[in-house]
Amino acid sequence: MHRRKTQFAQRVNRYATALERRGIRATYALHDKLLSNHAARRKLSQDIPTLDPLQQRLVESLRTEGYAVISFSELFPDPTTWQALDDESGRFVEDSAEGLALEQAGLESGLRRTGKEFVVRRNAYGATVRADDAWLSVCTDRRLLDLVNSYLGLWSKLEYLDMWYTAPHGDDAERRGSQRWHRDYDDRYLLKVFVYLVDVDEQTGPFQYVPGSQPGGRYDHLLPWRPMSESYPPDEEVISELEAAAKTLTGPKGTMFLCNTSGFHRGGYVTQTPRVLATATYCSPASLASLTERNFSLEDGAKAFDAPVEYALG
Ligand SMILES: O=C(O)CCC(=O)C(=O)O
């Protein structure tokens, strides 16, 4: 999950926080039912994308299971697309490794870690992204965006764009934050995309997901999603049930998966070699109006985009 607490939220007392939470939920419901999501659904229905069999298969899997796995090159067969992403990853890995070495020597590294201390983020919050950024180009490509919008049933917003480097912490560390089972409370209409930029096995902190825990799925009833709900299940019995049903997404470099993370998931418990991935979040406009905050802005002078892309970035 990515919502950053506002300065206001950090200052208020318990009573005010409960009030704020109620206000946020009301704003979300209003935008979902009447305002921005309504308009975004109409936009999709007026211009329904034609999906090829591969895109259809991914949407179908998202609807039934809440996630879908593919290799990056299946969806983006042009090798230059992968090359550009891999080159950016190489630069990010170099910077991260250098920064971590400085930290180990007790020096200031400038690494970005907002939210999860165990993850180094390329962008974190407040980043300016170049219009020709390789990961932005992938996430705004109509091949991906059309299937995302078809699954979500509306013109979505691209809310988060990043690369993560997670260094190993050994075998005995306690699971923290998103390494524990949780639902993201940011939105019901939520879709995250991940691309592994290194081989990921059991020791590299693979992402895990409970198929069917997405809205409308067979595990929807387990601690059901609601805006700003408590996202970590406290009950050991529930956790065992989740564990028994979970899928572990290991895979070689270039493995790509899409996932509705308002369903139960966890990952990033890295015990041996660093995990590097690219990640992006698409959400509904109602979420951006109430529950989430975009982590990037586009550099000035960005190229002209077509309408659904313009909307996703607006
Ligand atoms: O790092 C992971 O694999 C989990 C990520 C996560 O929980 C999230 O993006 O919501």
Side-chain angles (χ1 to χ4, degrees), residues 36-96:
S36 50
N37 281 3
H38 185 67
R41 286 186 190 105
R42 206 177 47 239
K43 282 180 185 297
L44 183 76
S45 69
Q46 286 167 349
D47 186 12
I48 293 178
T50 308
L51 303 185
D52 69 18
L54 177 64
Q55 291 169 306
Q56 284 173 27
R57 176 163 68 74
L58 294 171
V59 171
E60 190 49 34
S61 173
L62 285 166
R63 284 191 182 132
T64 55
E65 301 303 310
Y67 78 107
V69 186
I70 190 174
S71 96
F72 183 85
S73 58
E74 272 181 275
L75 196 61
F76 294 102
D78 180 348
T80 61
T81 310
W82 170 255
Q83 196 53 56
L85 188 61
D86 197 34
D87 288 349
E88 269 184 23
S89 160
R91 286 188 287 274
F92 170 60
V93 168
E94 222 169 87
D95 292 347
S96 302

Side-chain angles (χ1 to χ4, degrees), residues 8 23 44 75 79 109 121 195 228 234 250 253 287 293:
F8 174 70
L44 183 76
L75 196 61
S109 69
R121 303 181 193 238
V195 179
M228 303 197 77
T250 52
K253 180 173 176 172
S287 168
E293 182 180 333

Side-chain angles (χ1 to χ4, degrees), residues 122-135:
R122 185 180 69 150
N123 294 340
Y125 283 85
T128 303
V129 174
R130 290 191 331 268
D132 65 349
D133 177 86
W135 183 225

Side-chain angles (χ1 to χ4, degrees), residues 1 116 164 178 182 184 192 194 207 265-268 275:
M1 86 192 64
K116 311 185 202 190
W164 293 349
S178 54
H182 64 286
D184 289 346
K192 288 191 179 175
F194 299 87
F207 184 86
H265 63 289
R266 69 177 183 181
R275 189 187 72 169

Side-chain angles (χ1 to χ4, degrees), residues 1-2 116 118-119 160 164 166 177-180 182-184 186 190 192 194 196 205-208 257 261 265-269 275 277 279 281:
M1 86 192 64
H2 302 302
K116 311 185 202 190
F118 52 92
V119 176
Y160 184 85
W164 293 349
T166 312
S178 54
Q179 296 171 336
R180 296 164 56 203
H182 64 286
R183 292 182 185 276
D184 289 346
D186 316 27
L190 189 66
K192 288 191 179 175
F194 299 87
Y196 286 153
F207 184 86
Q208 294 179 288
F257 49 95
T261 55
H265 63 289
R266 69 177 183 181
Y269 187 81
R275 189 187 72 169
L277 53 74
T279 177
T281 306

